[in-house]
């Protein structure tokens, strides 16, 4: 069979108007695909690498869009556009970390079309995997990116387990740092995951990025009020200032009192197959002053045990410095 | 049902990548069907062989040692690693997700070391060939099969230390285990360990495919075999054997009922006589002692 | 008021901003079907067998076109389809179907068996003992006494070992070598000598519009709609490729969404559309997508280079020794590396120079000229080294460039050529003033938190003109001047700007002029390719020559009608006025048609090109014709210059670089169209920013398969990578050797933008040159942190 790319094959399209209807379609068909903004999906379809028979497009499911108060926090529908997340006054004023991260995603056009849920569950950008190579993540037996000669400057420096791909979702780190919960529905009911448990590394399941299985829908993201108004720090390092994924990014929520760090929640992304919450660092810096020494200690601890590949050693100091900046309290 | 999985390699050539996991279900079902079938057969249809009266030809102690301490330790360690390997290999396939890779390869290494020990031990301290199937055993097998098919009540032949079915099982397990071990050791080249970094280009992609297929095939065959083994271990008429694998001995009666003292001569094997009443018995091996 | 020097609205503006402009993909024809390509998945292979029967049996599939059905030029020429693909992505066959989905589905049903052949991705791998050759014929093509011949060139292992031990580029025997002066003496004379190995990646052109085309046949005539930089040349080339007379081909390409050198005379792939349309007797549209464009869309060759430069304490460059290994791709022969040698000699005017180099065939996409081919690479590579010397010698970095810059009569290159003019110092001064070099220089090294400011300057020359083409003008009885332009329309406004040489000479308002372009059935003169910044020079001259011819004819027509001597008539205000009275252009056109002969194009000058003759003959009798060859003389070649000035802020903790300020200043002779000049300086510089910072190729060395085949992985610069503040200036001195005084400007801004950024980054790093382009975050951060560089010294596609 000859290979052809960049030309979408046909599939059956469903456009349900409710979650129940969507779940029903997913339940009734095999080889399904859930389509949100389509920015990740279309690439796969066009390259004919992921070939669903049935595509369930969620654009008409109104219960999945919108941002509303929930307890002392917010609940954001998974289909809410990144633009709406960025523009939302509550998000900006109380959970600016998410607004900052969402505002850096790709380009304005992509933020108009792309959704929060889609950004979170996007597949990795490992170019071997996305090139249709039969790697572990694609059900094969080899990680082509992890060999001594591979081109892996954008790959993982930690958390590798056969697969060395990274999670590239800009909003993922921010939601981990905000202690968000992911609400998942399937025909079997609703499940709730802590943000950091929502993402799955290759040691657990090498073919998925999140806990979502066929038939599951991420419906909402709940952000508790715990970190509202904390000092936030978001930064992404990348090759271009737009339409680029993070070489490494940091998201931090830090509460200080009298010049010392009272509590903190920090995540880095772009360095491992999942966003990495830095609980050790959070413990370390508690009660310490927010300054460069603390930042450096935090950065060193965060990157201890990192195992760079042939071309990505630079990610070690990069991640260290991003954590350092987040902790020492740079203006983002 | 799909048996093998293929995928286009980076150059668009279809290459083998492994077995289809449909096979796992097939193996499990085969094991289940065997268990149910055998049980029904024994329960309803199996001709009862007339009990042969054992004639003690020599002095037989009350307890005959069948498995030495070392053998039993080996067996249970191997059983544990084997189960670990199967669980870590197949639970993720059936949807129970956990970080299995490191456990799996460490268990694989333990199993490899155990088997190396076993081979050395069996060839130096034991009668290496006592558990292997030769021309004679194959002939017996044909006879037994013929009788079985004609539903003739076969007079149960008293065997040597390892009866035919145990020998056959041992041989099959040896083959399949060596298959997973050899392919598994090759696959170690593909994972990062504390000692080396993975080198996926150690073999060509089509050779890797073959390695994964063999590993997968042997793995699913082991599922069936383990099901059968466990089944026999808990069958009432075989419990004396299971007990011997736990405690090491069989009774005098069991010895005389099941074994031909000419074929299993007590006190002729080079071994440490550890048991009280034990004349020098085998310090035997072999993990797998089922039926 | 003269049009030259004024901002005007080009005639295609309205169509472009309203969306009425039709690009190749926008055309439709009755019964049109679609074609898709089957691309090679292997870097080098041979088709062992191919069975398309299942595909052809699919409903809606109309046919396929194989390599055997297209023109197969001799090696190293490139065919549109091949059975021996030499890079991943090379087209093997084309298939037509009623729609693209069907075509793509059908291609998947083609059973193809490819035999993998040895391949080379990194040129140096090909030179190692026992290394692979990219082609079955060899890896180099040598021009010996008995003509060109193939060779499998291998260097001794000892050279590779020595290079590794010394941490430099391996430099075995080169294929090309020239020198002037006494190099040893030059280095002996130097007070400061530096030596470095520098790597520059290859870059795909990535024009916004890929090379789509639509073709159909009618009465044995081929009609093809494509995207090109140069209409007339594409028409001619296409006719040649199809084995037809130009009259039997109609080529339409009014708009071109960018070419940057990749569509100079159209595209090889257009043959496929035309031949498939003929084969299946249906109009065929072949839309090329970004993925395919990445492969067949041409690329700039990468360099693995080494240089040694000697400087006297006063900043004068005494000697340059330059060695370039060029990554060539599998076809043709790119001259970038040789040009780079000439540019180096011209720009720095060393007392002695030696150039050595070779170009290696590799199994990567075919190379072609890309905006300042050779020049843009080498200036970005060498300018930071000149900075290093300036810093070492305590000389201002702008000053050191002026010290070494050429003057009007400077010689350069193997032939010791000269230029028509060189207002380099004037351009530098104008730019330095505009940029406020002295003030900005003070910011160098300033720290603001974790950010350090770097200030850079990069000088970039390139060929800026050719000559000897034809102009073809017609005043029709409606009184308008029709300026027939065979050059293309790739957004540079050249087709309008060069027309103004004729309009000015005939004293016309812009509204009295109509530019005819982009459609061979409208009759074009023989024209320069719109490449290498040739057109503003070549076609202000050609149109000026034709305008002089027309002016004479107007005078003679008026004199014949109104009486008196022709020379006594003046042409102005769309009228011819003299002793016998005055006549409008409309009247003159009517009179010319009545008079016939040379006045209406029935008789044509001897020296014009045959192509022009054909076009003029078609137009004959329709008005008053001005037609002439550009016979104006000039000595030396025409070179333009841009100097770029940049301010960057480099974050010492992340390696991130923000470009905050940029000014480009040109020596391009007379400024014909200021707004367009600004667009060229800025646009070219932005391309240079991407070259310096982010854009590159990445290949897996084991499989020879590329990854940077999408815009987001190839990483050309985005709008946020462009500084908010961008300025421009021009020396504005006319080139004395061309009638209008204008020189081309398309090429040099790229190198200026790239070199200014590499220079500014080196400045921010305290003068440390990283000798690798692009200077991505990883490279910079590894340097800042004192860690191992992510790429090996000569690693090129990583």
């Amino acid at each position: 069979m000859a290979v052809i790319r960049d030309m979408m094959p046909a599939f059956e399209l469903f456009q349900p108007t409710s979650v129940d209807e969507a779940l029903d379609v997913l339940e009734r068909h095999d080889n399904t695909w859930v389509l949100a903004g389509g920015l990740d999906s279309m690439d796969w379809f066009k390259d004919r690498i992921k070939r669903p028979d049935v595509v369930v497009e969620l654009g008409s499911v109104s219960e999945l869009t919108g941002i509303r108060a929930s307890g002392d926090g917010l609940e954001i529908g998974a289909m809410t556009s990144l633009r709406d997340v960025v523009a939302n006054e509550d998000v900006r004023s109380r959970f600016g970390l998410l607004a900052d991260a969402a505002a850096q995603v790709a380009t304005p056009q992509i933020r108009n079309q792309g959704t929060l849920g889609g950004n979170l569950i996007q597949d990795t950008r490992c170019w071997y995997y996305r090139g249709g190579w039969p790697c572990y993540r694609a059900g094969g037996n080899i990680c082509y990116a992890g060999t001594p000669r591979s081109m892996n400057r954008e790959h993982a420096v930690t958390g590798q387990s056969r697969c060395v791909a990274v999670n590239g979702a800009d909003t993922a780190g921010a939601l981990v740092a905000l202690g968000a919960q992911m609400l998942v529905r399937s025909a079997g009911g609703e499940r709730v995951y802590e943000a950091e448990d929502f993402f799955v590394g290759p040691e657990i399941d090498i073919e998925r990025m999140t806990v979502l299985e066929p038939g599951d829908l991420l419906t909402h993201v709940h952000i508790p009020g715990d970190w509202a108004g904390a000092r936030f720090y978001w930064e992404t390092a990348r090759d271009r200032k737009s339409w680029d994924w993070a070489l490494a990014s940091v998201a931090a929520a830090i509460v200080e009192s009298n010049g010392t760090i009272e509590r903190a929640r920090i995540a880095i992304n772009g360095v491992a197959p999942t966003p990495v919450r830095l609980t050790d660092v959070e413990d370390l810096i508690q009660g310490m002053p927010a300054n460069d020494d603390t930042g450096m200690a935090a950065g060193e601890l965060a990157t201890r045990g990192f195992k760079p590949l042939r071309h990505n050693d630079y990610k070690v100091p990069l991640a260290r410095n991003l954590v350092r900046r987040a902790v020492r309290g740079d203006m983002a | 049902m799909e048996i093998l999985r293929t995928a286009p390699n980076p150059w668009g050539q279809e290459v083998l990548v492994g077995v289809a996991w449909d096979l796992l279900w097939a193996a499990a079902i085969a094991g289940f069907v065997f268990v149910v079938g055998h049980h029904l057969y024994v329960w309803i249809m199996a001709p009862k062989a007339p009990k042969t009266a054992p004639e003690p030809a020599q002095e037989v102690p009350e307890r005959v040692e069948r498995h030495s301490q070392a053998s039993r330790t080996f067996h249970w360690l191997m059983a544990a690693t084997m189960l670990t390997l199967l669980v870590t290999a197949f639970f993720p396939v059936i949807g129970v997700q956990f970080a299995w890779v490191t456990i799996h390869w460490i268990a694989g290494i333990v199993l490899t070391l155990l088997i190396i020990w076993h081979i050395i031990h069996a060839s130096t301290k034991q009668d290496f060939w006592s558990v292997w199937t030769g021309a004679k055993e194959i002939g017996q097998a044909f006879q037994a099969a013929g009788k079985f098919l004609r539903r003739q009540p076969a007079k149960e032949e008293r065997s040597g230390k390892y009866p035919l079915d145990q020998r056959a099982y041992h041989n099959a397990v040896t083959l399949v285990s060596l298959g997973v071990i050899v392919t598994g050791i090759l696959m170690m080249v593909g994972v990062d360990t504390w000692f080396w970094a993975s080198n996926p280009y150690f073999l060509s992609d089509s050779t890797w495919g073959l390695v994964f297929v063999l590993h997968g095939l042997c793995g699913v065959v082991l599922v069936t075999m383990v099901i059968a083994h466990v089944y026999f271990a808990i069958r009432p008429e075989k419990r004396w054997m299971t007990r011997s694998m736990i405690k090491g001995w069989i009774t005098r009666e069991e010895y005389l009922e099941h074994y031909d003292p000419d074929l299993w001569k007590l006190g002729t094997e080079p071994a440490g006589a550890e048991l009280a009443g034990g004349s020098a018995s085998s310090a035997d091996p072999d993990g797998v002692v089922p039926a | 008021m003269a049009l030259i020097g004024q901002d005007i609205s080009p005639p295609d503006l309205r169509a472009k901003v309203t969306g009425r402009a039709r690009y190749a993909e926008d055309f439709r024809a009755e019964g049109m079907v679609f074609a898709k390509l089957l691309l090679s998945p292997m870097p080098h292979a041979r088709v062992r067998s191919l069975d398309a029967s299942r595909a052809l049996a699919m409903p809606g599939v109309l046919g396929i076109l194989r390599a055997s059905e297209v023109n197969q030029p001799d090696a190293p020429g490139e065919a549109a389809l091949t059975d021996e693909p030499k890079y991943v992505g090379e087209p093997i066959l084309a298939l037509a179907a009623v729609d693209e989905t069907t075509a793509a589905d059908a291609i998947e049903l083609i059973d193809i068996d490819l035999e993998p052949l040895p391949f080379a991705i990194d040129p140096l791998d090909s030179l190692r003992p026992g290394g692979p050759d990219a082609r079955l014929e060899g890896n180099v093509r040598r021009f010996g006494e008995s003509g060109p011949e193939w060779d499998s060139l291998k260097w001794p292992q000892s050279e590779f070992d020595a290079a590794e031990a010394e941490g430099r580029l391996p430099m075995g025997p080169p294929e090309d070598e020239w020198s002037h002066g006494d190099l040893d003496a030059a280095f002996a004379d130097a007070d400061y000598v530096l030596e470095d190995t520098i790597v520059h990646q290859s870059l795909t052109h990535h024009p916004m519009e890929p090379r789509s085309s639509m073709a159909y046949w009618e009465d044995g005539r081929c009609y093809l709609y494509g995207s090109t930089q140069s209409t007339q040349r594409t028409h001619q080339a296409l006719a040649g490729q199809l084995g037809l007379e130009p009259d039997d081909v109609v080529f339409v390409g009014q708009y071109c969404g960018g070419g940057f050198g990749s569509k100079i005379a159209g595209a090889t792939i257009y043959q496929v559309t035309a031949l498939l349309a003929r084969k299946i007797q249906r109009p065929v549209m072949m839309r090329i997508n970004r993925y395919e464009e990445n492969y067949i869309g041409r690329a700039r060759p990468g360099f693995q280079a080494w240089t040694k430069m000697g400087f006297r304490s006063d900043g004068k460059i005494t000697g340059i020794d330059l060695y370039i290994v060029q990554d060539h791709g599998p076809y043709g022969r790119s001259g970038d590396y040789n040009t780079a040698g000439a540019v180096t000699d011209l720009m720095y005017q060393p007392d002695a120079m030696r150039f050595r180099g070779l170009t290696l065939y590799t199994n990567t996409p075919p190379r072609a000229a890309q905006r300042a081919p050779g020049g843009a690479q080498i200036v970005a590579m060498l300018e930071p080294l000149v900075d290093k010397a300036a810093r070492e010698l305590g000389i201002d970095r702008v000053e050191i460039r002026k010290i070494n810059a050429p003057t009007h009569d400077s010689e350069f290159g193997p032939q010791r050529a000269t230029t028509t003019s060189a207002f380099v110092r004037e351009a530098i001064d104008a730019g330095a003033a505009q940029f406020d070099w002295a003030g900005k220089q003070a910011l160098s090294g300033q720290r603001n938190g974790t950010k350090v400011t770097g200030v850079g300057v990069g000088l970039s020359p390139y060929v800026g003109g050719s000559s000897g083409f034809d102009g073809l003008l017609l005043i029709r009885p409606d009184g308008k001047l029709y300026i027939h332009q065979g050059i293309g329309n790739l957004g540079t406004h050249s087709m309008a700007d060069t027309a103004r040489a004729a309009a000015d000479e005939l004293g016309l308002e812009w509204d009295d002029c109509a530019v005819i372009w982009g459609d061979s059935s409208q009759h074009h003169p023989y024209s320069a390719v719109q490449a290498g910044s040739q057109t503003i020079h070549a076609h202000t001259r050609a149109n000026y020559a034709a305008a002089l011819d027309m002016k004479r004819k107007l005078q003679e027509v008026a004199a014949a009608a109104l009486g008196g001597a022709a020379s006594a008539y003046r042409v102005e205000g769309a009228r011819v006025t003299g002793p016998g009275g005055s006549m409008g252009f409309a009247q003159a056109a009517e009179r010319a048609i009545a008079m016939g002969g040379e006045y209406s194009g029935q008789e044509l000058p001897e020296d014009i090109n045959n192509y022009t003759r054909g076009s003029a003959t078609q137009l004959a009798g329709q008005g008053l014709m001005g037609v002439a060859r550009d016979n104006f003389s000039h000595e030396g070649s025409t070179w333009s210059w841009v100097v770029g000035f940049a301010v960057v802020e480099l974050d010492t903790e992340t390696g991130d670089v923000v470009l905050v300020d940029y000014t480009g200043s040109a020596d391009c002779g007379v400024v014909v169209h200021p707004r367009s000049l600004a667009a060229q300086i800025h646009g070219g510089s932005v391309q240079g920013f991407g070259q310096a910072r982010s854009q590159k190729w990445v290949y897996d060395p084991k499989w020879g398969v590329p990854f940077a085949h999408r815009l987001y992985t190839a990483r050309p610069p985005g709008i946020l990578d462009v500084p908010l503040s961008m300025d421009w200036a021009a020396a504005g001195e006319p080139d004395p050797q061309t009638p209008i005084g204008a020189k081309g400007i398309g090429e040099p801004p790229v190198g200026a933008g790239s070199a200014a950024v590499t220079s500014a980054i080196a400045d921010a790093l305290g003068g440390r040159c990283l000798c690798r382009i692009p200077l991505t975050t990883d490279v910079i951060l590894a340097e800042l942190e004192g860690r191992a560089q992510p790429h090996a010294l000569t690693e090129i596609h990583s």
Side-chain angles (χ1 to χ4, degrees), chain C residues 23-336:
Chain C
Y23 292 81
E25 221 176 277
D26 299 323
F27 289 93
R28 294 291 178 271
E30 179 85 30
M32 188 179 90
V33 298
F34 292 86
K36 295 297 294 176
L37 296 166
L38 192 169
L39 306 181
S40 172
M42 296 185 190
H44 191 191
R46 196 162 23 208
V47 176
R48 242 186 319 228
S49 70
L50 192 149
D51 178 3
S53 52
R54 288 194 299 149
L56 290 168
M58 249 182 86
V61 173
L62 296 153
I64 61 168
L65 192 73
R66 292 287 309 272
S68 55
E69 298 167 89
V70 303
N71 181 29
Q72 293 287 334
D74 293 336
E78 180 190 14
L81 300 171
T82 180
D83 280 341
E84 191 211 315
K86 295 177 194 67
Y87 63 95
V88 170
E90 181 161 17
I92 292 172
L93 67 73
L95 180 145
V98 290
D99 57 55
E100 286 179 325
T101 309
T102 306
D105 290 348
I107 280 183
E108 286 189 324
L109 290 183
I110 293 175
D111 295 306
I112 183 165
D113 181 23
L114 294 167
E115 176 194 356
L117 296 173
F119 66 90
I121 300 296
D122 183 331
L124 291 174
D125 286 345
S126 184
L127 287 166
R128 287 180 191 278
D133 289 341
R135 299 187 54 119
L136 297 174
E137 299 91 343
N139 61 354
V140 293
R141 192 162 161 79
R142 190 170 287 145
F143 290 85
E145 281 169 13
S146 54
E149 57 191 39
W150 289 98
D151 190 15
S152 173
L153 179 68
K154 306 295 163 206
W155 287 346
Q157 184 59 42
S158 55
E159 175 53 27
F160 287 95
D161 295 342
E164 182 155 1
E166 293 164 29
R168 61 157 172 84
L169 178 76
M171 288 177 282
E175 292 290 302
D176 301 81
E177 179 164 2
W178 55 263
S179 63
H180 66 80
D182 182 342
L183 198 62
D184 291 338
F187 286 129
D189 189 31
D191 298 302
Y192 175 69
V193 177
L194 57 79
E195 212 183 300
D196 267 306
T197 293
I198 321 165
V199 169
H200 194 295
Q201 88 288 29
S202 295
L203 300 103
T204 305
H205 291 64
H206 277 312
M208 199 186 292
E209 185 198 10
R211 56 211 60 232
S212 300
S213 56
M214 193 273 277
Y216 61 87
W217 294 72
E218 225 170 69
D219 300 331
R221 223 171 191 217
C222 176
Y223 292 76
L224 192 132
Y225 299 77
S227 176
T228 184
Q229 295 177 217
S230 331
T231 319
Q232 181 269 322
R233 289 296 192 92
T234 299
H235 179 228
Q236 214 170 10
L238 189 66
Q241 287 165 345
L242 297 174
L244 299 172
E245 290 302 314
D247 280 353
D248 291 327
V249 176
V250 172
F251 175 77
V252 177
Q254 275 203 301
Y255 299 91
C256 174
F260 313 119
S262 73
K263 301 173 185 167
I264 288 179
T268 314
I269 202 72
Y270 294 165
Q271 286 171 62
V272 171
T273 322
L275 294 174
L276 197 50
R278 184 164 68 183
K279 184 174 179 183
I280 65 168
Q281 296 286 301
R282 295 278 286 269
V284 171
M285 162 70 78
M286 183 154 65
R287 301 196 310 157
I288 298 297
N289 56 37
R290 181 57 54 191
Y291 182 78
E292 293 158 339
E293 178 68 18
N294 168 75
Y295 291 119
I296 64 174
R298 315 294 98 171
R300 180 190 292 282
F303 290 169
Q304 290 152 307
W306 169 91
T307 191
K308 182 175 174 184
M309 299 173 91
F311 297 78
R312 260 199 332 250
S313 58
D314 61 2
K316 175 80 184 80
I317 296 177
T318 57
I320 298 178
D321 196 1
L322 180 64
Y323 197 115
I324 298 177
V325 177
Q326 175 172 279
D327 180 358
H328 189 110
Y331 296 115
R333 191 177 170 88
S334 286
D336 283 43

Side-chain angles (χ1 to χ4, degrees), chain C residues 632-644:
Chain C
F632 304 110
S633 67
H634 60 93
E635 278 173 27
S637 52
T638 305
W639 286 72
S640 295
W641 297 73
V642 170
V643 56

Side-chain angles (χ1 to χ4, degrees), chain C residues 292-517:
Chain C
E292 293 158 339
E293 178 68 18
N294 168 75
Y295 291 119
I296 64 174
R298 315 294 98 171
R300 180 190 292 282
F303 290 169
Q304 290 152 307
W306 169 91
T307 191
K308 182 175 174 184
M309 299 173 91
F311 297 78
R312 260 199 332 250
S313 58
D314 61 2
K316 175 80 184 80
I317 296 177
T318 57
I320 298 178
D321 196 1
L322 180 64
Y323 197 115
I324 298 177
V325 177
Q326 175 172 279
D327 180 358
H328 189 110
Y331 296 115
R333 191 177 170 88
S334 286
D336 283 43
Y337 68 120
N338 279 317
T339 306
V343 162
T344 304
D345 201 21
L346 171 63
M347 185 154 89
Y348 299 126
Q349 294 290 306
D351 300 333
M353 169 152 178
R354 174 170 66 159
F355 169 79
R356 290 173 295 164
L358 71 170
T359 185
L360 270 297
Y361 288 92
T362 56
N363 298 99
T364 54
R367 304 308 202 279
Q370 183 181 113
R371 226 167 167 180
Q377 291 100 306
I378 200 67
V379 299
M381 294 161 86
L382 297 183
E383 284 286 82
L385 298 181
V386 174
D387 285 358
K388 192 167 159 183
R391 200 178 264 266
E392 199 67 31
L393 300 169
I395 299 169
D396 178 77
R397 290 184 289 147
V398 163
E399 205 51 45
I400 198 169
R401 286 167 173 84
K402 286 169 70 177
I403 288 166
N404 291 294
T407 56
H408 300 309
D409 43 12
S410 295
E411 296 180 337
F412 68 100
Q415 275 91 39
R416 310 311 295 149
T418 58
T419 64
T420 55
S421 67
F423 297 101
V424 191
R425 290 178 177 78
E426 290 80 351
I428 293 176
D429 287 341
Q434 183 80 19
F435 178 72
D436 182 20
W437 171 255
K440 297 274 167 57
Q441 175 70 357
L443 303 175
S444 167
Q446 225 172 59
R447 288 190 78 100
N448 175 17
T450 59
K451 296 197 172 79
V452 58
T453 300
V455 182
V457 54
L459 187 57
S460 171
Y462 212 79
V463 174
S466 57
S467 56
F469 301 95
D470 297 337
L472 178 60
L473 310 172
L474 194 68
I475 298 173
R476 291 179 179 266
D478 62 3
K480 274 196 168 183
L481 174 68
Y482 291 83
I483 302 148
H484 289 251
Q485 294 275 49
I487 54 178
N489 177 24
L490 70 160
T492 64
H493 308 152
S494 297
M495 54 83 179
D497 291 346
T498 62
R500 294 197 287 171
D504 271 357
E505 185 56 26
L506 297 169
L508 289 174
E509 296 293 322
W510 191 231
D511 287 345
D512 296 327
C513 303
V515 180
I516 306 295
W517 87 94

Side-chain angles (χ1 to χ4, degrees), chain A residues 163-242:
Chain A
C163 171
V164 300
V166 294
N167 183 301
D170 282 325
T171 55
L175 288 174
V176 170
L178 288 170
Q181 286 102 31
M182 312 297 185
L183 281 57
V184 175
R185 268 183 65 187
S186 65
E190 186 168 273
R191 286 140 34 220
V192 180
Y193 296 90
E194 292 299 321
E196 67 234 64
D197 301 330
F198 179 72
F199 300 95
V200 172
E203 73 283 7
I204 306 284
D205 189 337
I206 207 159
E207 296 181 23
R208 284 186 295 161
M209 301 292 289
T210 67
V211 296
L212 296 180
E213 297 199 48
D216 285 346
L217 281 187
L218 170 66
T219 59
H220 293 88
V221 174
H222 175 252
I223 306 178
D226 306 0
W227 298 91
R231 172 166 75 73
F232 293 128
Y233 188 86
W234 161 259
E235 187 172 1
T236 171
R238 47 191 177 173
D239 289 313
R240 304 192 297 177
K241 304 280 179 289
S242 59

Side-chain angles (χ1 to χ4, degrees), chain A residues 1-2 6 47-48 51 125 128 133 153-154 239-241 244 310-311 313 320-321 325 328, chain C residues 104-105 108 110 289 651 653 656-657 699-700 703 707 710 712 715-716 721 778 785 787 790 795:
Chain A
M1 184 177 114
D6 217 357
D47 281 350
R48 299 179 163 236
R51 299 180 83 137
R125 288 278 153 186
Y128 288 90
W133 296 39
R153 76 183 275 274
E154 286 147 44
D239 289 313
R240 304 192 297 177
K241 304 280 179 289
D244 214 346
R310 165 73 183 84
H311 285 100
D313 176 75
R320 182 198 67 205
N321 287 345
R325 288 148 89 107
R328 108 187 137 201
Chain C
D105 290 348
E108 286 189 324
I110 293 175
N289 56 37
D651 194 311
E653 289 182 344
D656 187 40
V657 173
Y699 266 85
D700 182 84
W703 295 90
F707 298 120
R710 291 283 156 72
Y712 84 83
R715 295 193 171 101
D721 302 300
D778 50 342
E785 293 278 341
R787 298 176 83 105
E795 198 172 6

Side-chain angles (χ1 to χ4, degrees), chain B residues 101-256:
Chain B
V101 178
T102 308
I103 309 173
H104 188 79
W105 70 253
I106 290 173
I109 286 179
V110 171
L111 178 69
T112 309
L113 294 175
L114 284 171
I115 286 189
I116 291 170
W117 176 85
H118 172 62
I119 292 169
I120 295 168
H121 184 252
S123 50
T124 58
K125 299 277 175 63
Q126 295 178 309
D127 175 7
F128 187 81
W129 299 109
S130 67
V131 70
W132 286 88
T133 313
K136 184 176 142 213
E137 287 77 16
I138 292 170
Q140 287 175 353
F142 273 108
Q143 281 177 15
K147 284 180 179 168
F148 175 81
L149 289 174
R150 291 192 296 275
R151 300 201 61 244
Q152 289 176 357
K155 168 174 163 285
E156 190 178 318
E157 295 285 349
R158 288 188 303 163
S159 70
K161 184 172 177 189
Y162 297 104
L164 175 65
D165 41 8
Q166 280 191 10
R167 290 182 188 222
Y169 187 90
H170 179 263
N171 294 165
V173 156
T174 305
L175 187 73
V176 175
S177 301
L178 283 178
V180 275
I181 286 170
V182 170
T183 50
I185 287 171
L186 278 171
M187 286 156 77
M188 288 296 296
V189 179
V191 294
D192 284 320
T193 68
W194 299 293
F195 311 105
W196 63 83
S198 77
N199 178 12
Y201 292 144
F202 183 70
L203 300 174
S204 74
D205 53 2
S206 49
T207 315
W208 272 129
L210 205 61
V211 168
F212 273 77
V213 163
L214 287 174
H215 195 76
L217 280 177
C218 293
V220 294
V221 167
L222 277 173
V223 170
T224 311
M225 297 187 83
V226 167
I227 290 173
H229 181 76
V230 171
Y231 164 72
F232 281 116
I234 59 177
R235 276 199 69 83
E237 74 273 18
K238 304 286 186 187
R239 279 195 196 131
W240 61 273
M241 248 184 209
T242 311
R243 186 199 61 224
S244 78
M245 190 47 85
I246 297 168
K247 298 188 172 168
W249 46 261
I250 55 175
T251 62
R252 184 168 178 278
E253 291 70 31
E254 286 159 355
Y255 172 77
L256 292 172

